[in-house]
Amino acid sequence: MRLLSFEGEGGPRVGAALGDSVVDLAAALAALGGDAAAIPGDMTAFLARGEAATVAAARALAFAARGENAALRRPLSSVTLLAPVPRPGKILGIGRNYGAHAKEVGGPVQEIPRIFFKPATAVAPPGALTRIPDAVRKPDWEAEIGVVIGRPARAVREADALRHVAGYTLLDDVSAREFQFDVQPPQTSFAKGMDGFCPMGPWIVTPEEAGEPWDLQIRCWLNGELVQEGNTRDLIFPVTALIAHLSRYMTLEPGDVIATGTPAGSGAFRDPPRWLRSGDRLRIECPRIGVLEHGIA
């Protein structure tokens, strides 16, 4: 499934993409004769209900897909998408996790993942315009694949890690590089945690559709120019290792997002450096996940 959050008449709703259409899963379940309350409108609450909610959503989606139930589908272009998890409990970023990116940055080989945090207030929906604070002079982009947690994870073994994954999404880890590189001590989480600095979406692709995360291609275009291209085969710490490592120290909860790192090619490491400007458009794509687009205000 491609699970998504969208703006409904009474607030956020959990839906699923069906081709170029969107299905309101609670409404479809009710039309099927089920209990609409089984699918809450908040994605974090939906994920917290575990397998029961997922099974109910699959039943609702299959029902809506029938030819005679076209009224349960609406054009994707007619709804306002939210970030798939509008208010994650925590966003855990992984720095320098692609081999090619680590090489362009330089420095010693990392023995453990490099962690930073982005707050929920950094999250922005697909199509959003990211507003760069006036005082920021070095705004940068980083295309990333996000792992959305579906089951609580504490002290998880790598062999069991994927059982805790709800699915995969895309995000842009926008960064104010002067706070990351030009001040001492570095303020990485602050540099990456400003309002709107985490556009996310367009949806969560569940593992049975996305497949295992060992071979996911990711590309980023800036104003139509291909600026980043990578594959999760190049991850220094793969998804299973990240979940095992993080869960050794903290509980990962449903709706938490792990930003797995960015390939080579972001603006700070170009010659000369290239910073985001008002009017820029970014397009991040993974064939097995989808396309996330957003702009710079």
Side-chain angles (χ1 to χ4, degrees), residues 41-106:
D42 175 71
M43 183 65 77
T44 299
F46 170 84
L47 295 174
R49 295 196 178 188
E51 186 176 359
T54 302
V55 169
R59 289 180 58 225
L61 185 61
F63 181 70
R66 295 180 185 176
E68 67 271 22
N69 294 329
L72 294 172
R73 307 187 294 270
R74 66 183 78 178
L76 183 60
S77 59
S78 71
V79 303
T80 299
L81 289 181
L82 306 173
V85 187
R87 297 288 291 186
K90 49 188 173 289
I91 304 166
L92 296 153
I94 313 299
R96 305 184 188 185
N97 197 31
Y98 279 77
H101 179 51
K103 183 177 180 180
E104 73 175 353
V105 174

Side-chain angles (χ1 to χ4, degrees), residues 250-267:
M250 65 182 70
T251 300
L252 301 177
E253 299 178 319
D256 287 350
V257 178
I258 302 172
T260 55
T262 196
S266 54

Side-chain angles (χ1 to χ4, degrees), residues 109-129:
V109 176
Q110 295 174 192
E111 297 183 359
I112 60 172
R114 183 186 185 107
I115 313 297
F116 60 87
F117 288 83
K118 293 175 85 81
T121 48
V123 173
L129 289 176

